[in-house]
Amino acid sequence: MEYKNKHVLAPMVRVGTLPFRLLAAQYGADITYGEEIIDHKMIKCDRHINEYLGTTDFVERGTENVVFRTCPEERNRVVFQMGTSNAVRALTAAQLVSKDVAAIDINMGCPKSFSISGGMGAALLSKPELIHDIITTLKRNLDNTITCKIRLLKSSEDTVELARRIEKAGVSALAVHGRRVPDRPRDPAKWDEIADVVAALSIPVIANGDVFEYEDFERIKGATCVMVARGALWNASIFSPSKSSWEDVKREYVRQCILWDNDVKSTKHTLKEMIAHYSSLELAEGKAVIKSANTENVARIYGEEDYYLQVSMNRS
C-alpha cells in the first residue's frame, strides 16, 4: 500500500460492504476500508471460496452469515478494519484475512458505547501501552500493511504525543478523524489539529472529517491522503472530479448489490441513508425501500428488473 495523494473511503458500519467499496473505487477511490468488524466475531468465521460469485467469504460457523466478503478485484486496495482490545485476539482475527486484503487497520476512534465498553475504539486512546502491544504483535507476525485510525484528544499536544508513540510502534500510516470523542457529526472537523499531527510525524497521515465535495480533497492541506465518510455515503461519485447525480449513483449501487448478492438489509440501510439526506423516507421511494423484502423488490424500485433477471439467469 502506498499513501501519497490518495483518496480514501472511510470505514462505515453497515455501509462499507463489497458493493459499496467497489462503487467507490469505480468513481475513483484509491483505498477502500471495509466496515469495522469486531475481532470476537471474526474469529468465529471460516474462510470460504464462493465460486458462485467469485468472492472470498468469511462465514460465521454454524450459520450462513457472511461477516466479510471480498474479491480479487479489490485485493490491492481494500483495508480490513478491526475493533479489538487484545493483541493475541487481534492477531488471530487478522491472520484469517491477511492473504485477502492489502492492509489491516485498528479502530482506535469509535465513540459508540458498545465499542468503548468493550475496551475497543476510542477506549484505546488512553491506553498507549496496549496500542503498542497490538501494533507490534501484528507487525511481527503479518506481511500486511498495518495502520490505525484515531480521534483527536483533549489537546493538540496530547494528540501529537499519542501519534508519535503510534508511529514508533511501527504503523505505515495513521488516519486522524478531526473530532474529539464527545463531538457530534454537526461539530466542524478541526483540520488545523490534524495539520499539527502531519507536521510532527514522518509517516503518512490520512485526514478525515468534513469532506463533502471533490474540492475538499484539495482544501485539506498537508495531509498525505484524505478520507471521506458521509460525503461518499451520500454520493459515492465524490471521488470523481465530475460528480454524478445521486439518482444515477443509487442505481449503480443497486446494480452492484445485485451483482455481488449483497444482504438486502445492508442494501436497504445504505439506500435509506442516501434517501434521508436528499429527500425523505416518508415519500414513495423511501416507503418502497422500507417495504422491500428482497433484492428483486429493490431492483424493481430502481428500474433494474432486467439486470436482476440477467444476473440471476447467468448464475443458474
Side-chain angles (χ1 to χ4, degrees):
M1 290 283 273
E2 291 185 2
Y3 296 89
K4 188 174 182 181
N5 300 321
K6 302 296 186 184
H7 296 168
V8 185
L9 175 69
M12 289 183 280
V13 173
R14 298 179 67 191
V15 173
T17 55
L18 179 62
F20 196 84
R21 297 195 302 270
L22 293 177
L23 180 73
Q26 178 180 315
Y27 285 116
D30 302 298
I31 299 170
T32 54
Y33 281 59
E35 61 177 329
E36 178 196 16
I37 295 174
I38 306 302
D39 55 5
H40 285 287
K41 188 156 194 147
M42 196 65 194
I43 61 179
K44 295 177 183 175
C45 293
D46 290 321
R47 180 179 182 273
H48 294 281
I49 300 299
N50 187 331
E51 295 181 0
Y52 180 72
L53 295 175
T55 59
T56 302
D57 296 349
F58 295 86
V59 183
E60 191 173 1
R61 292 183 205 102
T63 75
E64 295 182 355
N65 179 31
V66 178
V67 173
F68 181 70
R69 170 172 285 164
T70 185
C71 67
E73 183 181 340
E74 66 168 4
R75 169 66 180 81
N76 294 324
R77 65 170 173 267
V78 65
V79 179
F80 179 80
Q81 196 195 51
M82 177 166 42
T84 187
S85 60
N86 178 277
V88 174
R89 199 166 56 239
L91 178 61
T92 302
Q95 284 173 327
L96 281 169
V97 297
S98 62
K99 291 182 172 58
D100 301 295
V101 300
I104 307 288
D105 183 84
I106 304 300
N107 184 337
M108 300 182 182
C110 180
K112 298 295 174 74
S113 57
F114 85 88
S115 191
I116 292 177
S117 63
M120 301 176 291
L124 290 172
L125 296 175
S126 59
K127 300 176 181 177
E129 294 83 7
L130 179 55
I131 290 175
H132 183 272
D133 190 24
I134 292 170
I135 293 170
T136 54
T137 298
L138 296 180
K139 284 286 294 181
R140 279 196 308 267
N141 294 281
L142 298 173
D143 293 329
N144 304 77
T145 296
I146 306 299
T147 62
C148 61
K149 184 171 184 284
I150 66 170
R151 281 185 174 241
L152 300 175
L153 275 65
K154 289 183 179 179
S155 71
S156 184
E157 293 76 16
D158 289 343
T159 307
V160 167
E161 182 183 348
L162 178 65
R164 282 174 169 156
R165 296 185 73 161
I166 290 171
E167 178 182 37
K168 192 174 180 181
V171 295
S172 298
L174 174 67
V176 182
H177 186 154
R179 293 182 176 87
R180 297 184 172 86
V181 172
D183 291 345
R184 301 277 68 87
R186 64 178 176 272
D187 297 321
K190 300 169 180 65
W191 289 355
D192 56 333
E193 294 193 30
I194 298 176
D196 291 341
V197 177
V198 174
L201 302 189
S202 58
I203 60 170
V205 174
I206 306 167
N208 175 216
D210 289 355
V211 178
F212 300 117
E213 300 294 339
Y214 184 82
E215 291 72 24
D216 292 334
F217 287 117
E218 298 302 319
R219 290 174 57 213
I220 304 183
K221 298 297 182 185
T224 313
C225 304
V226 178
M227 174 182 279
V228 55
R230 288 177 295 159
L233 168 59
W234 297 333
N235 189 324
S237 71
I238 189 174
F239 295 104
S240 170
S242 53
K243 199 170 186 179
S244 300
S245 74
W246 75 291
E247 296 288 355
D248 288 343
V249 172
K250 274 187 301 183
R251 281 194 294 272
E252 189 57 38
Y253 172 65
V254 169
R255 288 170 70 90
Q256 292 281 3
C257 289
I258 292 168
L259 184 62
W260 299 102
D261 193 25
N262 198 47
D263 179 81
V264 70
K265 288 182 283 189
S266 167
T267 302
K268 288 170 59 176
H269 171 79
T270 301
L271 286 170
K272 287 190 292 183
E273 291 287 333
M274 294 178 183
I275 294 165
H277 178 67
Y278 286 101
S279 177
S280 170
L281 291 171
E282 297 302 316
L283 298 179
E285 179 190 1
K287 289 181 177 179
V289 168
I290 291 168
K291 286 173 58 179
S292 296
N294 52 49
T295 300
E296 185 175 7
N297 294 159
V298 175
R300 190 172 298 117
I301 296 168
Y302 294 97
E304 295 294 343
E305 308 101 309
D306 289 346
Y307 184 71
Y308 177 84
L309 291 172
Q310 176 190 336
V311 171
S312 299
M313 286 176 59
N314 288 342
R315 288 179 182 153
S316 60

